[in-house]
Amino acid sequence: MTPIQRILIVGGGSAGWLTAAFLAKTLGTAAGGPRITLVESADIGIVGVGEGSFPSIRGTLAAVGIDEARFIRECDATFKQGVKFVDWADAPGTPHNHYFHPFNAPSQRPGAPELLPYWLLGEGRPRAFADAVSMQQCVADAARAPKRASDPDFAGPMNYAYHFDAGKLAALLATHAKSLGVAHVLDTVERVELDARGHVGAVMGRASGALCADLYIDCTGFRAELIGKALGSQPRRLDDVLFVDRALALQVPYPAAGTPIPSCTISTAHEAGWTWDIGLQQRRGIGYVYSSRHTSDERAERVLRDYIGPAAEGLAPRALKLDVGYRERTWIGNCVAIGLSAGFLEPLESSGIGLIEFGAYLVGYLLPALEDLDTAAASFNEMMRARFERIVDFLKLHYAITRRTDAAFWRDNADPSTWTASLRDKLALWRSRPPHRLDFVADLEMYPSSSWQYVLYGMGYPTDLAGRHAAWPRVDDARREFAMIPQVAQRALQDLPDHRALVQAMLARAAGRPVPSMSGISVRA
């Protein structure tokens, strides 16, 4: 068997450099493993507005060898404990118009019953589902951090991800990847040449000429220079399922130093889409994602400015066209697509970076001998397609079960004819029982069963367990658990630092300055 010895990544940004760093580390490039080269153009910018992530990023950063304090410092990063959804279930002005999707799973201590069925039967009320089964909503509402400065890197009492500056993340990954042995070529790829088999034979750089490899990784973004233009893999469009296709983004400075930083993304629904509101160290990243079929660009900008208020005066939004869809063949011959070249799903639950992580992991795991490229491609395509399909269903869930009827955008989303068949089947099943982990194939899912539960019951989905009380007889045990969670949450509020204070402590650590002690009791739920 002939091993792959040369890997060429075409395109930089978060996709290219994360893939480069991950493969260089896991395949041992610096210790004699495959040679990895990344070529990128100085003339082509990156999309660079995605600023949220999923908890999997902690494992990825640890795997490539970037310490947490360095990441916080160099990427203007803050901590993310979940997403607060405002006005998604009902129109603005409705009481209890928000819900929380925390990253912590619902509490289930050893020997304790699963709480969801009991909550559906009326226990733990009137608290919302996320608040009743996890203390993380209480922690996030109080702008507390998910960990203490004394906790180990990438670990803490709460499950968490990050908010970050996407451009700075790409720069950090580039520096780190090069330290791991990745070669960097700054050049513009002008064309792709195919060989007699129809595989990529070379990419032609304006200055470098032919750049050749055994395996090519397409990280050229929406342009998809290799997988799309050269190899002809066409995207599966999702316009009939996920309607948003435009975004306007602004960077809004804080009004004063020391302004509190929310430790969650705030997603607010509007007449034709939704805004993201992300707190970084020195600014907020705010954008409006909307459907051009349901509003005009001018009206969309008015909605964004009205949401932000006076702080938006004098700021010009960046306009983005979103090509929502994915390629069902993301590995063809000796070419693999990772990042936007493979597909793009709206940024509602921060799937973008997660899909890059998964793609890079799969390439490293499946890396074949040259004789086995087609076998590896078949496995890769099957797993990536399955992951895309599952994410599409999860994203559509947020829209499908809305009770809003105040705008065509929401009425159209609630129309079952715009749902996938798999989502229709899931929702029908869950009318008589809640989602369970056995409903999901763990290795193909980005979002665990608890994420589906938080969205379903945050939105008020009517799972009817009436008449089935006998199936859940441990009512007293469940009541004790429901009573325990807010008590432990109060301890967490005393134990966990203010979010901005933790960020400042991490910056001090990264700069080599003394870090104030933030240790305390161990918080578990």
Side-chain angles (χ1 to χ4, degrees):
M1 291 293 186
T2 309
I4 286 176
Q5 297 180 328
R6 300 172 301 166
I7 298 173
L8 179 66
I9 300 171
V10 184
S14 298
W17 286 113
L18 189 153
T19 301
F22 186 85
L23 293 180
K25 185 71 172 182
T26 58
L27 300 178
T29 292
R35 298 192 303 276
I36 299 175
T37 300
L38 185 146
V39 56
E40 64 177 339
S41 173
D43 301 327
I44 300 173
I46 62 174
V47 173
V49 297
E51 298 181 325
S53 57
F54 201 66
S56 58
I57 195 173
R58 286 155 45 211
T60 299
L61 291 172
V64 302
I66 295 175
D67 70 75
E68 192 168 34
R70 179 188 179 193
F71 168 75
I72 296 294
R73 179 189 63 188
E74 296 193 25
C75 298
D76 195 20
T78 57
F79 294 87
K80 173 184 174 182
Q81 300 193 67
V83 184
K84 180 179 180 179
F85 290 93
V86 181
D87 292 337
W88 280 77
D90 297 288
T94 306
H96 311 295
N97 67 337
H98 68 273
Y99 72 94
F100 191 59
H101 171 195
F103 290 146
N104 273 21
S107 176
Q108 188 170 10
R109 296 185 302 165
E114 181 185 2
L115 294 178
L116 174 55
Y118 294 94
W119 184 84
L120 289 170
L121 289 168
E123 302 299 334
R125 306 296 182 101
R127 283 151 52 209
F129 175 63
D131 192 34
V133 301
S134 168
M135 62 180 176
Q136 193 159 36
Q137 178 173 336
C138 178
V139 171
D141 284 348
R144 293 290 200 276
K147 62 182 293 178
R148 300 149 298 203
S150 58
D151 288 323
D153 272 8
F154 308 115
M158 301 289 132
N159 195 11
Y160 65 91
Y162 307 99
H163 295 136
F164 51 82
D165 182 303
K168 292 181 179 180
L169 173 63
L172 169 62
L173 290 168
T175 299
H176 189 67
K178 286 183 275 190
S179 77
L180 297 173
V182 175
H184 182 207
V185 175
L186 197 62
D187 197 1
T188 298
V189 171
E190 295 189 315
R191 69 181 188 277
V192 179
E193 294 189 348
L194 303 183
D195 62 21
R197 300 170 298 168
H199 291 187
V200 177
V203 297
M204 305 302 295
R206 181 183 299 163
S208 307
L211 298 168
C212 302
D214 302 318
L215 182 69
Y216 297 83
I217 300 180
D218 185 345
C219 295
T220 60
F222 287 131
R223 303 185 313 283
E225 299 285 354
L226 284 74
I227 200 73
K229 293 180 181 178
L231 295 173
S233 177
Q234 296 302 307
R236 176 184 175 185
R237 306 300 306 175
L238 294 169
D239 311 70
D240 57 340
V241 178
L242 299 174
F243 302 151
V244 298
D245 61 351
R246 298 286 190 276
L248 294 171
L250 280 172
Q251 297 182 1
V252 182
Y254 288 122
T259 299
I261 307 172
S263 61
C264 63
T265 300
I266 301 170
S267 173
T268 302
H270 299 281
E271 59 199 45
W274 54 275
T275 49
W276 76 76
D277 192 337
I278 286 173
L280 302 187
Q281 293 172 26
Q282 306 300 327
R283 64 171 175 85
R284 294 157 67 196
I286 305 175
Y288 184 30
V289 184
Y290 61 97
S291 166
S292 64
R293 286 171 289 175
H294 293 87
T295 193
S296 67
D297 295 339
E298 294 75 19
R299 175 60 187 164
E301 183 170 347
R302 183 72 268 153
V303 169
L304 177 62
R305 291 188 180 279
D306 286 347
Y307 172 81
I308 297 172
E313 292 180 8
L315 301 178
R318 180 181 178 188
L320 298 163
K321 183 179 182 298
L322 309 179
D323 295 325
V324 179
Y326 63 91
R327 300 177 202 278
E328 296 185 300
R329 299 176 68 207
T330 47
W331 187 328
I332 297 175
N334 62 347
C335 177
V336 190
I338 293 178
L340 297 178
S341 57
F344 173 80
L345 303 178
E346 62 161 285
L348 181 61
E349 287 275 9
S350 302
S351 61
I353 293 290
L355 283 164
I356 295 169
E357 295 174 71
F358 187 63
Y361 171 81
L362 280 183
V363 170
Y365 171 71
L366 295 170
L367 191 71
L370 286 173
E371 294 84 355
D372 293 330
L373 285 170
D374 290 342
T375 301
S379 295
F380 186 91
N381 289 334
E382 180 181 359
M383 285 187 276
M384 287 300 296
R385 182 171 57 249
R387 180 157 283 215
F388 271 114
E389 290 171 347
R390 285 157 170 79
I391 294 173
V392 169
D393 278 0
F394 183 63
L395 296 178
K396 183 65 175 183
L397 174 69
H398 296 67
Y399 300 98
I401 58 177
T402 184
R403 292 183 293 273
R404 292 187 62 158
T405 59
D406 57 309
F409 175 81
W410 297 99
R411 294 192 297 271
D412 291 348
N413 268 298
D415 181 350
S417 69
T418 71
W419 307 353
T420 63
S422 53
L423 180 59
R424 285 197 297 271
D425 290 345
K426 289 184 178 81
L427 289 173
L429 186 67
W430 295 335
R431 283 194 172 274
S432 59
R433 70 162 178 82
H436 187 272
R437 60 181 177 80
L438 294 179
D439 293 332
F440 305 94
V441 182
D443 287 340
L444 300 178
E445 308 287 347
M446 181 166 175
Y447 304 101
S449 58
S450 59
S451 290
W452 290 79
Q453 293 168 2
Y454 287 131
V455 175
L456 276 171
Y457 303 116
M459 296 279 287
Y461 191 71
T463 300
D464 185 4
L465 301 184
R468 300 177 59 192
H469 290 71
W472 294 282
R474 300 179 61 187
V475 175
D476 290 341
D477 290 338
R479 286 174 178 168
R480 281 192 288 271
E481 292 297 307
F482 283 124
M484 175 273 298
I485 289 169
Q487 296 172 8
V488 178
Q490 290 305 308
R491 293 171 56 196
L493 294 181
Q494 298 172 17
D495 186 45
L496 293 169
D498 170 80
H499 183 204
R500 183 175 282 278
L502 176 63
V503 171
Q504 294 299 322
M506 299 293 283
L507 294 176
R509 176 190 298 173
R513 301 193 303 269
V515 177
S517 174
M518 295 185 182
S519 61
I521 59 172
S522 176
V523 180
R524 293 288 185 270

